[in-house]
Amino acid sequence: MAPLDSPSLYARIKTLLLGGAKNPFDQQIFHNLSLIAFFAWVGLGADGLSSSCYGPEEAFKALTWTSPTGEVLHFPYLGIFVALAAAATVLIISASYSQIIEEFPTGGGGYLVASKLLSPNLGMVSGCALLMDYVLTITISISSGADYTFSFLGPEWADYRIYFAVAALVVLTLLNLRGVKESVGPLVPIFLLFVATYSVIIVTTLITKLTTLPHVIAETTADVQEASSAVGVFGMVIIMLRAFSMGAGTFTGIEAVSNGMPILREPRVATGKRTMRYMAASLSIAVVGLMLAYLLYEVQPEEGKTLNAVLVDRFTETWPPLWATLFVLATLASSTALLFVAAQAGFLGGPRVLVNMALDRWFPHKFATFSDRLVTKNGVLMMAGAALLAMLLTDGSVELLVVLYSINVFITFTLSQAGMVKHWWIERAAGRDWRKGLAINGVGLVVCAFILVMVTVVKFGEGAWATLLVTGGLVVVVSLIRRHYLHTRTLLRRLDGLVRAAEMEPVRDLPPEELDPQAKTGVLLVNGFNGLGLHTLLNVLRLFPGVFKNFVFVQVGVLDAGNFKGVEEVGNLEGYIKEEVAKYNTFVRKQGFHGESYTRVGTDVVDEIANLAPEILEKYPNAVFFGGQLVFGKETIFHRWLHNYTVFALQRRFYSQGIPVVILPIRV
C-alpha cells in the first residue's frame, strides 16, 4: 500500500536542489561517501592552502611601525623571518597532529582529544573554540574570495561585493546539504588550476629573479638594522610577532584533517597522514614562496586589489596583453574558487564537532541526526547561519576578520597537545615506546601555547576581545544545556522502577486468545524498552480499561552520526531495536493481550512511521496511535528547542488523514 500522502511541493523542490534520499543499507554507500587523500586535501587541507590568499598579505602589511611623530615606517624584508617562522610552525603542528591521527583513527579533533585525555569540561572549551574558528573559516574564506573576484572587476563594482559573498555562502550551503563528495568534486578542477597558476608564479619568480637574491639578503640586513635602531630589538620582535599573528590563520586547516577522519577512505590512518603531508608541504611552500615574490617584485598594496592580484599584474606586465589577461583571470578565479573550497573545512569540520558535542549532550541531539541525504543538515545550517551573521556584522572585511581569526584554533591546538603529552606520559608507565611521541607533542605544546599567548596579547586591543567574549558566551550556553540534560536524566530515573517491575512480572498461565484484527488496537510509539514507554502503556491501560485487545509497538531506529559507521552497524541497530520492542510484546502478552511490533531504520522518525501506518491500518483498521511526551513544570522555548517533539509533528501529519493520535503527557 502506498504512503499516506504524495510528496509535497516542498519535498519536490528539496529533491530537485539537494537530490534524492540515499540508502543506508547500500553496501557501497560508505565507500561512495568517503574521500581519498587527494579529495581530502581539496576538501579539508585546502583551508590552510587557501590562507596563502590573505595570510601572507596581512602579515606583509603588518610589518610597520608608527613613530610618536606620526611617521609610518615599513620593514617589508622582515617578512622573510615571519614566513620562515610560519613554515616551521606548520611543519611542527602537522607532525603533532599526525600523532593524534594515529591514536584517534576514528576522528581525533580537538574536542575528542581534550575530552578523553584531559577532562570533559576542557574538551567542551576546545569544542566551542573550534566551532567559532570554523565559522570564521567560512566567513573569511568567502569574503576573501569576493575580494579576489572584485580585484579583477575593478573598484566601481565594490558596492556589490557583499551581495556576491552572501550568494556564494548560499550556494555552498546547498552543495553541502547535498553531501560531502558532491560539495568537493565540482571544485577539484579549479583547485588544480590554483595550484598550477601559483606554482608557475613562485617557481618562475625564483628562477628568473635568482640573481637578485643577494639584493634581498642585503635589504633584509638593512631592515633589521633600521628596525632595531628605530624601535630597539624588543620592538622589532614585537613587529614581527604582530605580523606573524596577522598571518596565523595559515595554520587553521591542520585541525580539519584529524577532525574529518570519519569521512576519509580506508585505511583511514594512512589516508589522513598522507593528506596531512600534502597540506603541510603545499602550505609551507606557498607561504615562503609568496613572501619572497612580494619582495622580489617589490609589490605594494593598491586600493581595491589584493596583494596577490598586484603580484600577478607585476608578474605578467611584460606578457602579450591577451595572455596576460587570461593568466590574471585564471589566477584570480582559481583563488576565489580555492577560498570557497576552504570554506568547506568549516562546513565539513564544524558539523562534525557539533555531532560529537551533541552525542555528549552539550548540544541538542538534533545536531547529530542525518537528513535523507545522510548529511548532518542541522549542523550545516547552523554553521551557515553563524557565518552569514559574522559576514554581515563585519561587512565581509578580511582585515577585520583576520583580527578575530586564529585565537580559537590555538586554544584547541594547545589543549590537544596538552592531552597528547599527558597520554604519552601515561603510556610511559605501560611500557610503550613513548619518547618519540612525547617529544613531538611536547614541542607542539610549547609552540602552540606560546603562539596562543602571543596572538591573544597582540590582537586583544584590536578586536580579539570580541572573539573571546563570543566563545566565552558559547561556553556558558552549552554548559547550561548539558546541565539541563543531566537534570532531566536524573528526573527520568524515577521511571526506571517500571522497567524492573515489568521484567520481574511473572508469566501468567492464561489461555491464548484468538487474534481479532477488528478489535480496538492501541499503536504505541516507543523508543526502547524504558520507563517512558512503559509509563505511556500503563496510562493507556488505566485511562481506557477493557477497551483495547491488541497492542502494536512501533520503534524507529534513527540513523545519526554516532551509529552510522558502516552497513554492519546499521544492521546491529536494526537488531537492537527489534530486541527492545519485543520486550513490550512479552509484557502485554503476560497481561492477556495480543502484542505485535513493527520496526524501521531511517533518518526521519515521522516519515518512517507515516510509511508504516498504511501497513498497520490495513491489518488493524480500528487502531488508535498513542505517543508519550515529556512535560516540564515551567516549559519555555529553551525546553522546546532541547527536546524531541516528534509526536506533535506526527499528529499534524496524520490529522488530514483522519487517523486518531492521542498524546499522553509524562510529567517530570
Side-chain angles (χ1 to χ4, degrees):
M1 190 170 181
L4 289 176
D5 46 3
S6 59
S8 63
L9 177 62
Y10 165 77
R12 292 196 294 270
I13 293 175
K14 189 188 86 166
T15 301
L16 176 65
L17 292 176
L18 307 183
K22 292 183 181 292
N23 178 14
F25 292 95
D26 183 357
Q27 294 288 337
Q28 293 297 314
I29 191 67
F30 299 91
H31 179 83
N32 293 337
L33 290 177
S34 62
L35 302 177
I36 60 173
F38 174 75
F39 281 110
W41 179 39
V42 175
L44 297 173
D47 176 23
L49 185 58
S50 71
S51 65
S52 62
C53 294
Y54 54 84
E57 173 179 354
E58 296 301 328
F60 186 78
K61 292 192 296 186
L63 292 166
T64 60
W65 176 73
T66 304
S67 69
T69 61
E71 181 185 6
V72 178
L73 299 178
H74 190 48
F75 309 106
Y77 287 89
L78 296 181
I80 296 291
F81 302 109
V82 174
L84 290 174
T89 303
V90 167
L91 296 176
I92 291 171
I93 298 176
S94 296
S96 300
Y97 266 87
S98 292
Q99 298 288 113
I100 292 177
I101 286 174
E102 289 185 359
E103 296 300 315
F104 292 85
T106 59
Y111 168 72
L112 288 177
V113 174
S115 295
K116 293 183 178 180
L117 300 181
L118 295 176
S119 73
N121 286 330
L122 286 176
M124 176 269 293
V125 172
S126 177
C128 290
L130 197 52
L131 283 174
M132 293 304 303
D133 181 73
Y134 279 133
V135 168
L136 289 171
T137 292
I138 297 171
T139 309
I140 198 172
S141 297
I142 293 176
S143 298
S144 184
D147 283 348
Y148 272 83
T149 299
F150 284 82
S151 290
F152 183 81
L153 295 177
E156 63 271 16
W157 291 87
D159 291 343
Y160 299 97
R161 189 183 69 77
I162 190 67
Y163 299 108
F164 176 81
V166 171
L169 176 60
V170 171
V171 171
L172 280 175
T173 302
L174 290 174
L175 284 172
N176 278 277
L177 290 174
R178 289 187 67 90
V180 171
K181 182 171 283 188
E182 294 185 56
S183 64
V184 174
L187 300 171
V188 170
I190 308 179
F191 172 82
L192 292 177
L193 181 61
F194 172 90
V195 173
T197 53
Y198 277 85
S199 295
V200 168
I201 293 171
I202 293 172
V203 173
T204 303
T205 298
L206 293 178
I207 292 174
T208 59
K209 300 284 186 177
L210 189 62
T211 56
T212 63
L213 284 179
H215 171 72
V216 172
I217 295 172
E219 289 295 328
T220 303
T221 303
D223 265 7
V224 169
Q225 292 174 346
E226 184 181 354
S228 59
S229 175
V231 298
V233 175
F234 180 74
M236 181 180 66
V237 172
I238 292 298
I239 290 172
M240 289 191 290
L241 288 177
R242 182 177 183 277
F244 181 88
S245 70
M246 293 300 286
T250 300
F251 317 121
T252 56
I254 298 172
E255 158 73 23
V257 179
S258 64
N259 190 43
M261 289 294 289
I263 62 172
L264 299 187
R265 183 73 53 84
E266 294 286 1
R268 285 176 178 164
V269 171
T271 302
K273 295 179 73 172
R274 192 177 302 118
T275 303
M276 190 74 78
R277 287 194 295 271
Y278 291 166
M279 187 205 65
S282 58
L283 181 55
S284 300
I285 293 170
V287 170
V288 176
L290 284 173
M291 189 65 76
L292 279 172
Y294 295 159
L295 298 173
L296 292 171
Y297 278 100
E298 298 181 348
V299 172
Q300 296 297 326
E302 294 182 13
E303 185 68 27
K305 284 189 173 183
T306 65
L307 206 61
N308 284 0
V310 177
L311 171 63
V312 178
D313 284 342
R314 295 284 180 87
F315 179 74
T316 59
E317 61 184 355
T318 60
W319 291 23
L322 177 60
W323 288 106
T325 301
L326 289 176
F327 188 83
V328 170
L329 177 60
T331 304
L332 298 184
S334 62
S335 298
T336 301
L338 182 69
L339 285 158
F340 290 168
V341 174
Q344 284 299 104
F347 277 118
L348 296 177
R352 172 57 54 182
V353 176
L354 280 169
V355 163
N356 292 328
M357 295 185 76
L359 293 174
D360 291 336
R361 289 303 193 181
W362 295 107
F363 277 93
H365 187 263
K366 65 181 69 176
F367 287 106
T369 58
F370 282 134
S371 68
D372 57 10
R373 293 286 298 174
L374 303 181
V375 172
T376 50
K377 178 184 69 174
N378 293 317
V380 170
L381 292 176
M382 180 176 175
M383 299 304 295
L388 176 62
L389 182 62
M391 187 179 294
L392 295 177
L393 290 176
T394 61
D395 197 34
S397 169
V398 173
E399 186 175 358
L400 177 57
L401 287 166
V402 164
V403 173
L404 303 177
Y405 205 26
S406 76
I407 291 179
N408 284 305
V409 78
F410 276 103
I411 293 175
T412 299
F413 282 173
T414 302
L415 290 173
S416 297
Q417 299 309 315
M420 288 300 293
V421 167
K422 178 183 177 182
H423 166 74
W424 291 118
W425 190 253
I426 293 173
E427 289 298 308
R428 159 182 151 276
R432 284 186 58 186
D433 184 12
W434 54 276
R435 290 180 177 82
K436 178 183 175 183
L438 182 63
I440 293 174
N441 290 120
V443 172
L445 172 61
V446 172
V447 170
C448 291
F450 171 76
I451 294 175
L452 173 61
V453 173
M454 180 267 296
V455 170
T456 302
V457 171
V458 170
K459 289 187 175 183
F460 189 83
E462 300 177 11
W465 60 268
T467 300
L468 295 175
L469 181 64
V470 173
T471 303
L474 183 59
V475 167
V476 172
V477 170
V478 301
S479 298
L480 292 174
I481 291 173
R482 168 102 166 164
R483 180 181 177 184
H484 170 79
Y485 281 135
L486 292 178
H487 179 63
T488 302
R489 186 171 67 181
T490 300
L491 295 176
L492 291 177
R493 283 176 181 164
R494 299 172 183 174
L495 301 176
D496 290 348
L498 294 176
V499 178
R500 291 190 292 271
E503 291 175 339
M504 295 174 63
E505 180 80 15
V507 178
R508 299 182 183 181
D509 190 18
L510 297 173
E513 294 188 6
E514 292 286 336
L515 169 62
D516 181 7
Q518 300 299 318
K520 286 288 186 181
T521 302
V523 181
L524 275 71
L525 312 178
V526 297
N527 183 25
F529 189 68
N530 52 39
L532 290 175
L534 287 170
H535 187 279
T536 303
L537 173 61
L538 295 176
N539 269 344
V540 172
L541 294 173
R542 178 176 60 85
L543 296 172
F544 305 96
V547 174
F548 296 100
K549 303 300 181 183
N550 309 315
F551 284 96
V552 174
F553 301 93
V554 178
Q555 180 170 351
V556 175
V558 179
L559 284 175
D560 60 30
N563 55 40
F564 189 65
K565 306 296 185 183
V567 174
E568 296 80 8
E569 290 299 319
V570 175
N572 292 339
L573 174 62
E574 190 174 33
Y576 171 75
I577 63 173
K578 285 182 177 179
E579 289 178 6
E580 287 292 288
V581 81
K583 296 175 183 177
Y584 286 103
N585 295 336
T586 302
F587 178 73
V588 295
R589 286 168 184 165
K590 289 178 181 178
Q591 314 304 318
F593 301 104
H594 173 75
E596 190 173 354
S597 59
Y598 290 79
T599 61
R600 287 288 188 277
V601 171
T603 59
D604 189 287
V605 174
V606 174
D607 285 344
E608 295 299 332
I609 294 175
N611 290 331
L612 269 174
E615 183 180 345
I616 296 172
L617 292 171
E618 185 176 23
K619 184 172 183 179
Y620 300 99
N622 293 312
V624 177
F625 285 74
F626 290 91
Q629 178 61 52
L630 290 178
V631 178
F632 296 88
K634 294 181 180 179
E635 194 161 299
T636 64
I637 295 177
F638 186 71
H639 290 91
R640 289 193 288 272
W641 186 60
L642 296 180
H643 291 279
N644 187 344
Y645 285 78
T646 301
V647 68
F648 290 108
L650 186 68
Q651 187 182 51
R652 289 192 298 271
R653 184 84 167 260
F654 283 177
Y655 179 78
S656 61
Q657 305 296 325
I659 300 174
V661 178
V662 179
I663 300 175
L664 299 176
I666 302 174
R667 192 174 181 85
V668 294

